[in-house]
Amino acid sequence: IPSLIDTAKQTVDHFKKVDVDKAADLLRAATTRAFDENAWRKAIFSKVASSALDPSMDYTAFVRASQNLVESYARIGAVFQQGNKADQDRVKIRLHERQDKADIESLASLMALPDLVAETTTTKMAMQKSLESFFNEDPAQWAKLSPADIDDLVKNYFQQFGINSEDIKPKADLAREAKRLSIEFAIADISPEDVKSLIAFYKSDTGKAKRQALVTGFQSQLLEANSQMMTSYFTAVSQYFRAKAG
């Protein structure tokens, strides 16, 4: 998620301000503190692990299929990163020609990743608005912000730019669809048997519970991290302009 800062920075570069890099540096520091990868993994894994497995089910096929999909996802991702159009076209054709294309589409829609990516749209917008605010607000106003003022700024932001807000929802839907398609490309590179094993798991009560725990855990962590990121950033900006004012 910290890598999203560069995208946000490009969006506001048209301001051509001397301190655009300074604003990005302040945001990068705030984001690194808020989005601790190890802490995230531990918190989300604990929520997923709390959802028990069904002892009557054999998960051997699911584990094998999951590993094959992870490897396929990495391979397909590399193809699109390398930018070779012929290779990319072969990936697209493979999906189109699969006899079990309906199963592939069904599996992609059952998986949590597209929804998780959609959720990060709020973070992208938070970063963009945070950088813009560096230039849009009066430095004197920044300098005199109290901790309570900053808390109010953060709360007002999330009231205005939640995942289902008018500004965010279209972007979230687009991100969800793009990720779903990339997953379909990866699924098309594993066997029909693996696809069926994965579908069986995701349609089971255990699979549904695990998916819900993952999404809920991710949403909770993201909301907390977004709030921490913006609070830390606004505090740093206030201190920066206070120091400049002498």
Side-chain angles (χ1 to χ4, degrees):
I1 287 179
S3 64
L4 298 177
I5 294 172
D6 293 330
T7 302
K9 182 176 178 294
Q10 290 172 8
T11 305
V12 297
D13 262 349
H14 65 276
F15 282 105
K16 302 297 182 183
K17 299 289 184 178
V18 174
D19 286 329
V20 66
D21 288 333
K22 180 61 180 179
D25 287 343
L26 293 175
L27 181 57
R28 197 180 308 279
T31 304
T32 300
R33 285 192 294 271
F35 291 91
D36 183 285
E37 185 175 344
N38 290 331
W40 264 60
R41 286 180 178 174
K42 180 182 287 188
I44 294 174
F45 179 77
S46 68
K47 288 182 171 62
V48 175
S50 66
S51 174
L53 293 173
D54 183 348
S56 68
M57 290 187 65
D58 180 3
Y59 295 99
T60 305
F62 166 72
V63 171
R64 181 178 61 249
S66 296
Q67 183 58 44
N68 289 340
L69 180 56
V70 168
E71 294 172 359
S72 172
Y73 191 79
R75 286 195 302 272
I76 300 304
V79 167
F80 282 91
Q81 281 185 339
Q82 290 162 4
N84 185 302
K85 188 176 183 304
D87 289 341
Q88 292 172 7
D89 286 344
R90 277 191 285 273
V91 169
K92 296 173 183 177
I93 291 170
R94 183 188 300 125
L95 171 61
H96 180 72
E97 292 181 343
R98 282 283 293 251
Q99 297 299 308
D100 59 343
K101 190 168 185 291
D103 283 346
I104 290 172
E105 292 173 348
S106 175
L107 175 56
S109 69
L110 289 169
M111 298 179 72
L113 187 56
D115 285 343
L116 303 187
V117 169
E119 290 289 337
T120 65
T121 309
T122 59
T123 304
K124 292 179 184 178
M125 182 62 78
M127 290 175 174
Q128 180 181 328
K129 292 297 181 182
S130 294
L131 289 177
E132 289 176 356
S133 68
F134 189 91
F135 308 106
N136 293 343
E137 305 298 332
D138 181 356
Q141 294 297 317
W142 273 119
K144 67 180 185 180
L145 284 179
S146 68
D149 293 330
I150 291 172
D151 285 344
D152 287 341
L153 276 176
V154 174
K155 289 175 185 175
N156 290 337
Y157 170 82
F158 287 112
Q159 288 175 357
Q160 186 176 0
F161 297 108
I163 187 68
N164 292 315
S165 69
E166 200 171 288
D167 289 299
I168 297 291
K169 192 174 186 306
K171 296 180 177 65
D173 290 344
L174 187 62
R176 182 183 293 106
E177 178 62 19
K179 182 53 64 175
R180 185 193 60 75
L181 182 58
S182 73
I183 291 173
E184 287 184 9
F185 289 147
I187 297 172
D189 197 37
I190 64 176
S191 71
E193 292 73 24
D194 281 345
V195 174
K196 290 186 183 301
S197 294
L198 290 168
I199 289 176
F201 173 79
Y202 280 105
K203 284 188 173 182
S204 70
D205 290 341
T206 297
K208 291 175 182 177
K210 293 286 185 184
R211 184 192 191 283
Q212 186 58 44
L214 175 58
V215 172
T216 301
F218 187 87
Q219 289 172 332
S220 176
Q221 287 296 117
L222 189 65
L223 181 61
E224 181 180 340
N226 281 342
S227 179
Q228 182 182 339
M229 173 188 72
M230 295 188 73
T231 299
S232 180
Y233 172 74
F234 289 149
T235 300
V237 171
S238 179
Q239 291 171 346
Y240 170 76
F241 282 116
R242 195 175 301 139
K244 285 193 70 173

